[in-house]
Amino acid sequence: MGGPGPRRAGTSRERLVVTGRAGWMGMGRGAGRSALGFWPTLAFLLCSFPAATSPCKILKCNSEFWSATSGSHAPASDDTPEFCAALRSYALCTRRTARTCRGDLAYHSAVHGIEDLMSQHNCSKDGPTSQPRLRTLPPVGDSQERSDSPEICHYEKSFHKHSATPNYTHCGLFGDPHLRTFTDRFQTCKVQGAWPLIDNNYLNVQVTNTPVLPGSAATATSKLTIIFKNFQECVDQKVYQAEMDELPAAFVDGSKNGGDKHGANSLKITEKVSGQHVEIQAKYIGTTIVVRQVGRYLTFAVRMPEEVVNAVEDWDSQGLYLCLRGCPLNQQIDFQAFHTNAEGTGARRLAAASPAPTAPETFPYETAVAKCKEKLPVEDLYYQACIFDLLTTGDVNFTLAAYYALEDVKMLHSNKDKLHLYERTRDLPGRAAAGLPLAPRPLLGALVLLLALLPVFC
């Protein structure tokens, strides 16, 4: 092998080292499909931080540039003047919204990326601009119906043709919110705001958790963003986003598979129950994702091979995600102590010193126990999580969230002996759980993650 550049997939094992990190690699048809990494990165940031879109209009600028440089009307490799015109239009759009975008991370990422691309293509700052074009989707029945995907786009066939079945792992997030990591640690966390669930070489998953009621310490997942990164001849970059009362059965561009490549059907979205249950199959990385809306809030579950879970280039940045490392210590809640207190007092409200204060109108402890017992007869951590959520939120839908989370474990977890967990995992100060370093303080951790997601200027 030559220099330090990206490795090509000469063998099945090498394939996992080939990265799909989103970064500035040039845009437009001339730069190739992998060059479109910048758009999903910005989309990821914008979806995760809704304040960035209002009054800051950077999303509109990004969308217009994406429309002008993608699809059948995109400038070819020798159409430098047309591509430069699109860049100048992009720059003009960012200047017009500059005043309202001060301090906006996605805005500054776009500004620096434009400068980098203009330098790469020798574009002058003065010159004609282009009008944005409406993006056209592929006709129905075209790439959507392909079934002859290349072998490399089927994880088990390409990686394990002559070896044992891969070891699959599971991660799930539900309720107020409760996290089950890839290593079967079970934690209840505060994690208000935007947090990374998964960040490896193949996909990013980020959730936004918001208070269930004004002034309440109880939070639940109100937004979910997933980026599937461009991979070889299998899939284009795709972004999926779900929010409260909006669980789409398609990617944000309206498609339901991996794009126009030969192996596009190795990534597909299937709507199981309209507005309530969506399943995403990413066969090229052996991954299944289940997204549900239960009541007003979202739940997430994933089945992923260990080999893909650990396909991380930079452990100091990518390796910080919640499904792998768990919640930071100062974000964890000891809900078993909470239960002991609630059971001991039998009161509708708990003392102010409780790990998580109750909502203004909640269930009595005995009622919460009875309702959870109906759906969850085994008194495991999902049962305990159900009681905790009813006591802190007063929302009976959280009973169903715990129930479906366990149903997803039954479907996705490869070890049937580990379906039920009985002992909650809480990291101790100064120690690492399961041999992994403790997650950083939330502010530092968020900063490290965002820096890792920003385009690479080199």
Side-chain angles (χ1 to χ4, degrees):
M1 233 160 295
R7 294 168 60 185
R8 283 194 133 356
T11 66
S12 61
R13 293 289 174 184
E14 286 178 342
R15 178 180 176 220
L16 278 173
V17 187
V18 180
T19 101
R21 294 198 66 178
W24 276 103
M25 299 174 64
M27 301 274 290
R29 185 178 297 170
R33 294 187 182 274
S34 62
L36 296 177
F38 165 66
W39 169 250
T41 300
L42 278 186
F44 189 54
L45 292 170
L46 288 166
C47 293
S48 304
F49 303 97
T53 63
S54 179
C56 178
K57 303 300 182 185
I58 189 62
L59 179 60
K60 179 176 179 291
C61 299
N62 293 337
S63 180
E64 290 179 353
F65 180 64
W66 168 247
S67 297
T69 57
S70 65
S72 59
H73 298 290
S77 57
D78 56 349
D79 291 337
T80 298
E82 186 178 345
F83 185 71
C84 289
L87 277 175
R88 282 190 289 268
S89 296
Y90 193 12
L92 177 61
C93 185
T94 60
R95 288 196 295 272
R96 287 172 176 167
T97 193
R99 187 175 62 83
T100 58
C101 292
R102 290 175 182 172
D104 185 276
L105 192 59
Y107 166 78
H108 291 288
S109 175
V111 169
H112 289 296
I114 292 168
E115 293 174 356
D116 185 54
L117 281 178
M118 292 189 79
S119 175
Q120 288 180 25
H121 291 265
N122 296 319
C123 300
S124 64
K125 293 184 178 180
D126 299 320
T129 57
S130 61
Q131 294 297 318
R133 300 187 181 93
L134 292 176
R135 189 177 179 206
T136 57
L137 297 176
V140 176
D142 184 15
S143 62
Q144 304 281 350
E145 297 180 356
R146 291 178 184 169
S147 58
D148 57 339
S149 297
E151 187 175 279
I152 196 172
C153 299
H154 193 293
Y155 179 82
E156 290 191 7
K157 288 182 180 178
S158 62
F159 279 11
H160 303 280
K161 204 169 185 178
H162 306 292
S163 59
T165 303
N167 184 31
Y168 287 95
T169 60
H170 163 74
C171 177
L173 187 77
F174 69 98
D176 175 21
H178 308 283
L179 172 71
R180 180 169 180 161
T181 71
F182 283 128
T183 53
D184 290 313
R185 289 184 287 160
F186 196 98
Q187 299 171 340
T188 298
C189 310
K190 303 172 189 175
V191 291
Q192 183 173 334
W195 289 79
L197 270 185
I198 299 174
D199 179 20
N200 61 37
N201 292 344
Y202 299 96
L203 78 163
N204 301 115
V205 180
Q206 184 147 335
V207 293
T208 300
N209 302 312
T210 54
V212 174
L213 292 170
S216 171
T219 62
T221 302
S222 58
K223 181 176 290 188
L224 172 74
T225 304
I226 307 172
I227 293 181
F228 296 89
K229 300 180 182 181
N230 174 75
F231 184 76
Q232 294 189 15
E233 62 203 82
C234 304
V235 299
D236 297 320
Q237 298 247 25
K238 291 288 178 176
V239 179
Y240 179 80
Q241 182 180 340
E243 300 183 58
M244 289 192 301
D245 302 320
E246 186 177 350
L247 188 69
F251 295 109
V252 295
D253 64 2
S255 65
K256 292 191 175 185
N257 72 350
D260 297 324
K261 293 186 176 180
H262 192 54
N265 274 346
S266 61
L267 175 63
K268 296 181 73 172
I269 294 182
T270 304
E271 186 176 59
K272 298 294 187 178
V273 181
S274 178
Q276 297 180 34
H277 180 189
V278 168
E279 185 175 300
I280 305 176
Q281 290 279 353
K283 291 184 179 180
Y284 65 103
I285 50 174
T287 296
T288 301
I289 294 175
V290 175
V291 183
R292 298 178 186 266
Q293 175 163 316
V294 184
R296 297 182 63 228
Y297 298 99
L298 304 173
T299 69
F300 171 86
V302 62
R303 168 186 166 97
M304 182 180 291
E306 275 188 352
E307 203 166 14
V308 178
V309 168
N310 295 313
V312 174
E313 283 187 331
D314 184 357
W315 284 93
D316 291 333
S317 56
Q318 286 179 290
L320 300 177
Y321 63 82
L322 299 185
C323 275
L324 189 62
R325 299 293 181 94
C327 298
L329 179 61
N330 63 357
Q331 294 291 313
Q332 296 178 32
I333 297 172
D334 188 349
F335 77 66
Q336 288 176 316
F338 179 87
H339 279 196
T340 301
N341 190 6
E343 187 175 8
T345 61
R348 187 176 182 84
R349 295 176 182 272
L350 301 179
S354 296
T358 58
E361 293 295 333
T362 59
F363 291 96
Y365 180 78
E366 295 78 7
T367 304
V369 168
K371 287 187 175 296
C372 292
K373 196 72 173 176
E374 289 177 8
K375 300 297 291 183
L376 299 157
V378 178
E379 296 185 12
D380 59 2
L381 289 178
Y382 291 87
Y383 165 80
Q384 293 185 33
C386 173
I387 296 173
F388 176 88
D389 289 352
L390 292 187
L391 293 176
T392 56
T393 69
D395 185 348
V396 71
N397 286 306
F398 281 82
T399 303
L400 289 175
Y403 169 77
Y404 284 123
L406 183 57
E407 290 300 298
D408 290 338
V409 173
K410 293 176 182 178
M411 179 179 71
L412 300 174
H413 205 295
S414 60
N415 188 341
K416 302 309 177 185
D417 294 330
K418 290 186 177 181
L419 299 183
H420 299 282
L421 298 176
Y422 296 93
E423 184 176 352
R424 179 185 173 279
T425 307
R426 189 171 193 271
D427 295 339
L428 299 176
R431 293 184 60 188
L436 291 172
L438 291 176
R441 290 170 292 182
L443 180 60
L444 178 60
L447 178 61
V448 170
L449 174 73
L450 291 174
L451 290 175
L453 291 175
L454 285 175
V456 180
F457 306 110
C458 58

